Amino acid sequence: MNKIYKYLLAIAALAAAGFGIYEYTAPDKYQYWKELIAKDPKPDGISEQEYREKLRAGYCWRDRKFYTPEELHRKAMVSFAGRLLGETEAYKANMTTNQVFYGSRLRTSRKGL
């Protein structure tokens, strides 16, 4: 009977450790929102109402100027395209590295190229 309690205690400890690791490594569901706020934080000394009104009107606190909806759309598309190009370049660099290391293995396959 004493052995059974030890096994149950070990299983409970493993489950608790696994849950703790999951909680520590799980991505934050507000991660994207926090990144957006970090890019354009609310300045000190500005009321929340004034901050929200200016945001709705197209004001950029970092640039300190107003943008039209078309300009905001263009800025968002340029930023998105830049991010996609960066990911593509990183993927190409990784593929080049993989081809250098694993290229000889691919050429010797039985199916041929």
Side-chain angles (χ1 to χ4, degrees):
M1 202 68 164
N2 197 10
K3 246 183 180 179
I4 294 174
Y5 290 129
K6 286 181 182 178
Y7 287 127
L8 289 176
L9 183 61
I11 290 172
L14 287 173
F19 183 73
I21 290 171
Y22 171 76
E23 286 296 316
Y24 181 73
T25 59
D28 186 15
K29 64 181 180 179
Y30 296 111
Q31 179 180 357
Y32 183 68
W33 175 253
K34 289 177 182 175
E35 288 175 8
L36 286 176
I37 295 300
K39 278 185 179 180
D40 196 17
K42 181 175 102 52
D44 294 333
I46 303 293
S47 69
E48 187 71 27
Q49 182 180 3
E50 180 184 359
Y51 178 72
R52 290 180 184 267
E53 285 174 2
K54 282 191 172 183
L55 280 180
R56 284 191 195 103
Y59 187 74
C60 179
W61 293 94
R62 185 177 53 192
D63 299 342
R64 298 187 187 278
K65 64 185 231 182
F66 285 93
Y67 288 99
T68 64
E70 292 80 22
E71 290 172 324
L72 287 173
H73 179 74
R74 179 166 167 65
K75 282 183 73 157
M77 293 305 292
V78 167
S79 174
F80 180 69
R83 188 175 213 170
L84 280 181
L85 288 174
E87 289 178 6
T88 304
E89 288 174 7
Y91 179 73
K92 282 182 181 179
N94 189 24
M95 285 300 294
T96 305
T97 305
N98 287 342
Q99 287 172 356
V100 169
F101 290 123
Y102 301 115
S104 60
R105 185 185 285 171
L106 290 174
R107 282 189 220 117
T108 59
S109 69
R110 292 184 181 187
K111 293 182 181 179
L113 294 173

